[in-house]
Amino acid sequence: MSYCSKAYKEPSAPKIVTSAIPGPESVKQIAELDKNFDARPVYFMCDYENSVGNYLADVDGNVYLDVYAQIASIALGYNNPDLIEAAKSPEMIRALVERPALGNFPGKDFNGILEKVLKLAPKGQSQVWSALSGADANEQAFKAAFVYYRAKERGGFEVKHSEDELTSVMENQAPGAPELAVLSFKKAFHGRLFASGSCTRSKPVHKLDFPAFKWPQAEYPYYKYPLAENEDYNKKEDERCLEIVENLIKTWPSTKGAKVAALIIEPIQSEGGDNHASPYFLQQLRDLTTKHNVVYIIDEVQTGLGATGSLWCHEQANITPPPDLVTFSKKFQSAGYWFHDEKFVPQLAYSIFNTWCGNPASMIIAGAIGEVIQREDLISQVNRVGDYLMAKLNKLAEKYPQHLGRLRGKGTFIAFDLESTETRDKLLKTLKLNGCNTGGCASASVRLRPTLTFEEKHADIFVEALEKSLAVL
Amino acid sequence: MSYCSKAYKEPSAPKIVTSAIPGPESVKQIAELDKNFDARPVYFMCDYENSVGNYLADVDGNVYLDVYAQIASIALGYNNPDLIEAAKSPEMIRALVERPALGNFPGKDFNGILEKVLKLAPKGQSQVWSALSGADANEQAFKAAFVYYRAKERGGFEVKHSEDELTSVMENQAPGAPELAVLSFKKAFHGRLFASGSCTRSKPVHKLDFPAFKWPQAEYPYYKYPLAENEDYNKKEDERCLEIVENLIKTWPSTKGAKVAALIIEPIQSEGGDNHASPYFLQQLRDLTTKHNVVYIIDEVQTGLGATGSLWCHEQANITPPPDLVTFSKKFQSAGYWFHDEKFVPQLAYSIFNTWCGNPASMIIAGAIGEVIQREDLISQVNRVGDYLMAKLNKLAEKYPQHLGRLRGKGTFIAFDLESTETRDKLLKTLKLNGCNTGGCASASVRLRPTLTFEEKHADIFVEALEKSLAVL
């Protein structure tokens, strides 16, 4: 039994009533909005009131099957009744009207709100620190990593900061502001603030004109598909990249003057082209980071919360011991990092701190999303529907191998490559006109990011629209 | 007529029922919370359900007159009926349940939400870009400044980025990731992310162990009070600091390799000790930044939204032409930066962008706060109550000159200095036991940050509690 059917009524199919997208009413409203907001990236103006479940409506009366879900940030679909209930709850009203400075003046309901969030922790993680977005979550995690790293260098948490550190830090100089680096991977996306942006390596537009920390980038494995037929090649690819990682950790301090304090990786590079890392690669990184005293951070901002067929994607790699910090945002609505070792509680109170220390309104929504995922066993649904969809796409790939290259995925978190950016962009446009909204990544990939309530019937509609679109490419 | 009286019923006085703060129930709940959250900085556990207007209740049944307002982030007081209405509105439910990727898929109500926010723009500003916190707002503003600065260097927005820029940026190297700096001031507080943190200079704990950009810090004028009696001294202090600013702008590129692209300043350094900048100083900075092609950013995160007696504090300096970017957060609930010149719309679409592009739920609350401020003419109230409170404090300062040093303020945004950190901390503790919750800043200052609905009757209660507390210091 599907979750959608019992709770609210979706349309049975997409409906496209305009000959171009955006339609005329969207065009008009985008021009109005552009007076107040940089509307260049707007696809169309949405009508959320009339959007239901997996169907997104626009102001022209078009209704799309949404296989992109607000850049992978809607978990359960539109107008979800459980979330509406959470949004109307008295604790939500208080979170909005009395937004507290949680670090100094938490409300009596805060621990309960947190405990609901903590029920969604990845295996092996037990604590959480809250942030406001994926980029913020990553930067808060960097801070936890740096504080731990310096405490260890200093000789432990009981050793106080030196006078020299207390003075030099106010000049932004070492040792108080140490020369430490976070290692990331080519094609990575970790956000667009200045430290997270220094780890982002997918497209120039994310970084151009902004000063950056001179931090190292390793290579992320690039596999041949299907995986089962390319085991040897892909294993060698893992080894090649692992060697680069270890080499950078060893040489960066002497050549570039900064020690590598942390490594951050997405289990599937999403913005960067849906590049998957093997369980072997993720485990080897655990071993390497432990060996070299580097904090191991997994970025689950896009991969987290079920779409890959497990609550958190990296759980499938069964990394032992678990990663040190795991960051999240997007579909969970609340953001932050998970951890399990007390050594990541900062040495000094107020070291990782700010006015709000998270957003309780988002945490309440996160808790409600978590309850629905568990109650409705949506992870099982994702696996079932993911297999179903992948089988259909595999069949289609036999017919259109040039358009469905390197078909890959876990759960419903699926991508394939077109032969060029132009064909990819044309396909995305045609898909919209055929009733399906989805997104691109890297230069020529299509990424599917449906909600967790996506069903076989939605997969049928999508594959049909895809086939229709491919036929006219 | 007061706003509070017509809308909801405040207690007539604080009520303290425990002999120590935190009281026993708070202590118990803090220990519980500490299992899931770093609760070291918690003062007491709040009962927001039973907090009304300017009165904050805790779980032990203590009710404080709140002169701190969640680190200066509550505008109208607790359980405000207008905000409760906004929190229950259909557009709020949608903002929470369908949090959109505003840059790609804005809803049809988004422009209306934005227009309510824009009604609160400072004089001379007409546009807004949204962020999630004060630190985030400052970093988004830095990005706008850097993009503009580099476009100007390149020869204008019509000149495309070079191949060299597109390649070097992916390596975090110039010219794509340029060597540019933001100049800030000693004792400044601009947030705790990595770029904003590089501009924060108030306390080591905000910065320790984190890598930082090697950006310059100038000196912020430190005036003698009362201002009317120290005009010559303070003018010389302004000139001294202005010379340092200009000198840093001129010499930083050659000595430290980075051009100063932007300058950021708080009109009153809040966390850093309530240091005020004179209108003359703020205007001279406008002239200096224009002369040297430096983007002028005013940080109104703490000073903004009325408490200083104008909607935005810097408006009192009548800076001409207006500052380039003005950042906000805290009391406004929504965060971001104001601007007025199209040259700060980035050259490339997607250059300043992220999944959410702001939080519509916070924007709805911001719009509602703005409507109340205007409808109830709360700025006039702040000026009236501020004068009343300041007169009473001046009188008290005659009696306790050693405890109310350098009494200073605009509106109800008032501070004074104790003789030592110990006495200050003791005073804050005693004030709580006498029913008033307020905060410190710098090493020995007390800062008053009441809501905008603070009235003469509240001022009376506060001054009485202060006198009682001073008597036993």
Side-chain angles (χ1 to χ4, degrees):
Chain A
M1 195 197 70
S2 80
Y3 175 57
C4 290
S5 60
K6 73 182 263 264
Y8 48 171
K9 199 149 173 52
E10 282 189 341
S12 56
K15 185 179 78 172
I16 300 300
V17 297
T18 62
S19 57
I21 291 164
E25 183 59 28
S26 265
V27 169
K28 202 181 110 197
Q29 292 193 23
I30 291 169
E32 275 304 305
L33 178 61
D34 199 57
K35 293 177 193 161
N36 295 323
F37 183 78
D38 182 359
R40 287 174 291 178
V42 174
Y43 287 111
F44 47 79
M45 297 295 290
C46 298
D47 178 353
Y48 289 110
E49 217 170 330
N50 288 310
S51 302
V52 187
N54 290 281
Y55 286 88
L56 173 61
D58 74 15
V59 292
D60 285 283
N62 296 312
V63 181
Y64 310 85
L65 177 68
D66 196 0
V67 196
Y68 195 38
Q70 307 298 321
I71 321 181
S73 72
I74 292 286
L76 304 177
Y78 302 103
N79 273 297
N80 180 283
D82 287 281
L83 298 196
I84 290 173
E85 202 185 307
K88 287 179 168 173
S89 66
E91 68 184 350
M92 177 63 84
I93 307 294
R94 281 199 297 281
L96 292 167
V97 174
E98 275 80 60
R99 184 171 180 179
L102 287 172
N104 285 160
F105 304 104
K108 63 181 177 186
D109 56 0
F110 179 47
N111 204 21
I113 292 169
L114 259 184
E115 287 192 335
K116 279 194 189 171
V117 168
L118 278 162
K119 282 192 183 162
L120 280 285
K123 274 174 211 143
Q125 309 294 337
S126 56
Q127 303 227 49
V128 67
W129 182 253
S130 295
L132 301 175
S133 68
D136 187 29
N138 284 333
E139 299 213 352
Q140 303 290 337
F142 295 170
K143 289 169 80 165
F146 289 135
V147 166
Y148 156 73
Y149 191 91
R150 284 293 295 144
K152 187 158 177 174
E153 284 196 320
R154 214 178 284 115
F157 270 28
E158 61 285 357
V159 182
K160 285 189 176 173
H161 292 81
S162 68
E163 261 317 304
D164 193 13
E165 286 177 293
L166 296 173
T167 315
S168 59
V169 72
M170 301 314 286
E171 307 281 342
N172 293 359
Q173 298 289 346
E179 300 290 344
L180 294 177
V182 180
L183 185 150
S184 64
F185 290 83
K186 284 187 184 174
K187 299 191 188 158
F189 187 89
H190 299 292
R192 292 157 164 259
L193 297 167
F194 288 83
S196 49
S198 298
C199 293
T200 285
R201 315 276 192 170
S202 44
K203 285 186 195 136
V205 71
H206 305 143
K207 298 165 69 78
L208 272 171
D209 301 331
F210 308 139
F213 289 109
K214 289 169 184 52
W215 291 348
Q217 57 177 335
E219 286 192 40
Y220 196 98
Y222 189 79
Y223 301 137
K224 282 192 181 167
Y225 287 85
L227 293 177
E229 295 167 24
N230 294 283
E231 281 185 15
D232 283 358
Y233 177 92
N234 292 337
K235 180 80 184 294
K236 275 184 200 143
E237 174 67 357
D238 280 341
E239 299 297 355
R240 184 183 73 83
C241 295
L242 289 165
E243 202 182 313
I244 295 171
V245 170
E246 184 158 29
N247 197 40
L248 281 169
I249 295 172
K250 282 184 186 166
T251 60
W252 204 256
S254 57
T255 59
K256 304 288 178 176
K259 291 181 197 167
V260 175
L263 174 152
I264 185 165
I265 187 168
E266 300 152 275
I268 302 173
Q269 290 188 326
S270 308
E271 179 69 24
D274 272 35
N275 307 310
H276 293 234
S278 70
Y280 173 77
F281 188 74
L282 294 172
Q283 179 61 51
Q284 289 297 306
L285 288 181
R286 169 72 293 180
D287 297 346
L288 269 182
T289 49
T290 303
K291 177 178 163 193
H292 293 288
N293 182 36
V294 170
V295 177
Y296 190 15
I297 308 173
I298 304 261
D299 178 336
E300 290 256 24
V301 170
Q302 184 152 168
T303 49
L305 220 71
T308 66
S310 52
L311 197 51
W312 303 94
C313 180
H314 78 278
E315 291 175 323
Q316 296 174 44
N318 196 26
I319 302 166
T320 315
D324 298 310
L325 307 167
V326 178
T327 61
F328 61 92
S329 181
K330 282 205 183 247
K331 264 204 285 292
F332 205 32
Q333 298 292 301
S334 187
Y337 60 86
W338 308 108
F339 66 107
H340 61 279
D341 195 320
E342 286 292 324
K343 72 189 182 191
F344 291 107
V345 175
Q347 180 169 10
L348 303 172
Y350 285 103
S351 165
I352 300 183
F353 189 86
N354 54 62
T355 300
W356 285 323
C357 294
N359 185 347
S362 306
M363 293 180 207
I364 290 166
I365 295 287
I369 290 172
E371 285 182 346
V372 173
I373 289 176
Q374 292 178 332
R375 186 187 73 212
E376 305 293 329
D377 194 13
L378 290 178
I379 307 293
S380 297
Q381 177 170 327
V382 164
N383 280 301
R384 195 190 70 223
V385 177
D387 287 348
Y388 179 85
L389 174 56
M390 193 53 126
K392 290 202 137 197
L393 291 171
N394 263 316
K395 238 175 155 177
L396 205 56
E398 287 170 21
K399 192 170 166 190
Y400 295 102
Q402 77 280 28
H403 298 324
L404 272 84
R406 296 182 76 246
L407 181 61
R408 55 205 181 274
K410 288 185 200 297
T412 56
F413 200 100
I414 292 172
F416 52 86
D417 297 353
L418 280 288
E419 58 272 49
S420 71
T421 306
E422 294 65 43
T423 342
R424 191 268 315 268
D425 291 351
K426 195 179 163 199
L427 176 62
L428 292 177
K429 273 197 149 178
T430 314
L431 269 169
K432 281 193 184 67
L433 286 166
N434 284 322
C436 292
N437 179 47
T438 190
C441 60
S443 60
S445 306
V446 168
R447 57 174 153 171
L448 311 186
R449 294 293 178 268
T451 74
L452 308 181
T453 62
F454 198 76
E455 294 176 58
E456 285 86 347
K457 66 182 179 189
H458 304 117
D460 288 341
I461 291 168
F462 173 70
V463 173
E464 195 183 315
L466 179 60
E467 183 152 19
K468 201 171 151 192
S469 307
L470 290 170
V472 299
L473 257 195
Chain B
M1 193 197 67
S2 80
Y3 174 59
C4 292
S5 59
K6 73 184 262 267
Y8 49 170
K9 198 147 174 56
E10 282 189 340
S12 55
K15 184 180 80 173
I16 300 299
V17 296
T18 62
S19 57
I21 291 164
E25 182 57 26
S26 264
V27 169
K28 203 180 110 199
Q29 292 192 24
I30 291 169
E32 274 303 303
L33 179 61
D34 199 57
K35 293 177 193 162
N36 296 323
F37 183 78
D38 181 1
R40 286 173 292 179
V42 174
Y43 287 111
F44 47 79
M45 296 296 289
C46 298
D47 177 355
Y48 289 110
E49 218 171 330
N50 289 308
S51 301
V52 187
N54 291 281
Y55 286 88
L56 172 62
D58 74 15
V59 291
D60 286 283
N62 295 311
V63 181
Y64 311 85
L65 178 67
D66 196 0
V67 197
Y68 195 37
Q70 307 298 322
I71 321 180
S73 73
I74 291 287
L76 304 176
Y78 301 102
N79 273 298
N80 179 282
D82 287 283
L83 297 197
I84 290 173
E85 203 185 306
K88 287 178 169 173
S89 66
E91 67 184 350
M92 178 63 85
I93 307 294
R94 281 198 297 281
L96 293 166
V97 175
E98 275 80 59
R99 183 169 182 182
L102 287 171
N104 285 159
F105 304 102
K108 63 183 178 186
D109 56 1
F110 179 48
N111 203 23
I113 292 170
L114 259 184
E115 286 191 336
K116 280 194 188 170
V117 168
L118 279 162
K119 281 191 182 160
L120 280 287
K123 275 175 210 143
Q125 309 295 338
S126 55
Q127 304 227 48
V128 68
W129 182 252
S130 295
L132 301 176
S133 69
D136 186 29
N138 285 333
E139 299 212 353
Q140 302 291 337
F142 295 169
K143 289 170 79 164
F146 289 134
V147 166
Y148 157 72
Y149 191 91
R150 283 294 294 145
K152 188 159 176 175
E153 283 195 321
R154 212 177 287 117
F157 270 26
E158 60 287 356
V159 182
K160 284 190 177 170
H161 291 81
S162 68
E163 260 317 302
D164 193 14
E165 286 177 293
L166 297 173
T167 315
S168 58
V169 72
M170 301 313 287
E171 306 281 341
N172 293 359
Q173 297 289 345
E179 300 290 345
L180 295 176
V182 180
L183 185 150
S184 65
F185 291 83
K186 285 185 183 176
K187 299 188 187 162
F189 186 90
H190 299 293
R192 293 156 163 259
L193 296 167
F194 288 82
S196 50
S198 298
C199 294
T200 283
R201 314 277 193 168
S202 43
K203 282 185 195 139
V205 70
H206 305 142
K207 298 165 70 76
L208 272 170
D209 302 330
F210 307 140
F213 289 108
K214 289 171 181 52
W215 292 348
Q217 56 176 335
E219 287 193 39
Y220 196 99
Y222 189 80
Y223 300 137
K224 283 192 180 166
Y225 287 84
L227 293 177
E229 293 168 24
N230 294 283
E231 281 185 14
D232 282 357
Y233 177 91
N234 293 337
K235 180 78 184 293
K236 275 184 200 144
E237 176 65 356
D238 279 341
E239 300 296 355
R240 184 183 73 82
C241 296
L242 289 165
E243 203 182 312
I244 294 171
V245 170
E246 184 159 29
N247 197 40
L248 281 169
I249 295 172
K250 282 183 185 165
T251 61
W252 204 256
S254 57
T255 60
K256 304 288 178 176
K259 291 181 197 168
V260 176
L263 175 152
I264 186 164
I265 188 168
E266 300 152 278
I268 303 173
Q269 288 188 325
S270 308
E271 179 71 24
D274 272 34
N275 306 311
H276 294 234
S278 71
Y280 173 77
F281 189 74
L282 294 172
Q283 178 62 51
Q284 289 297 305
L285 288 182
R286 168 73 291 180
D287 298 347
L288 269 182
T289 49
T290 302
K291 179 177 161 194
H292 293 287
N293 183 35
V294 170
V295 177
Y296 190 14
I297 308 173
I298 304 260
D299 178 336
E300 290 256 23
V301 170
Q302 184 150 169
T303 50
L305 221 73
T308 67
S310 51
L311 197 51
W312 302 94
C313 181
H314 77 278
E315 290 174 324
Q316 296 174 45
N318 197 27
I319 302 166
T320 314
D324 298 308
L325 306 167
V326 178
T327 62
F328 61 93
S329 181
K330 281 203 185 249
K331 266 205 283 293
F332 204 30
Q333 298 293 301
S334 187
Y337 60 86
W338 308 108
F339 65 108
H340 61 280
D341 194 320
E342 286 291 324
K343 72 189 182 192
F344 291 107
V345 175
Q347 181 170 9
L348 302 173
Y350 286 103
S351 165
I352 301 182
F353 189 86
N354 55 62
T355 299
W356 285 323
C357 294
N359 185 346
S362 306
M363 294 181 205
I364 291 167
I365 295 288
I369 290 171
E371 284 181 347
V372 172
I373 290 176
Q374 292 179 331
R375 185 187 74 212
E376 305 292 330
D377 194 13
L378 290 178
I379 306 294
S380 298
Q381 179 171 323
V382 165
N383 280 300
R384 195 189 72 223
V385 176
D387 287 349
Y388 179 86
L389 174 58
M390 191 54 125
K392 289 201 135 192
L393 291 171
N394 264 315
K395 238 176 156 176
L396 204 58
E398 286 169 21
K399 194 169 165 192
Y400 296 102
Q402 76 281 27
H403 297 324
L404 274 85
R406 298 181 73 250
L407 182 61
R408 57 206 181 273
K410 288 186 199 298
T412 56
F413 200 100
I414 291 171
F416 52 86
D417 297 352
L418 279 289
E419 57 274 50
S420 70
T421 307
E422 295 66 40
T423 344
R424 192 270 313 267
D425 292 350
K426 194 177 165 200
L427 177 62
L428 292 178
K429 273 197 149 182
T430 315
L431 268 169
K432 279 192 186 66
L433 286 166
N434 284 322
C436 292
N437 179 47
T438 191
C441 58
S443 61
S445 306
V446 169
R447 57 175 154 170
L448 312 186
R449 296 291 179 271
T451 74
L452 309 180
T453 63
F454 198 76
E455 294 176 58
E456 285 86 348
K457 66 182 180 193
H458 303 119
D460 288 342
I461 290 168
F462 174 71
V463 173
E464 196 183 313
L466 179 61
E467 184 153 20
K468 202 171 149 192
S469 307
L470 289 170
V472 298
L473 258 196

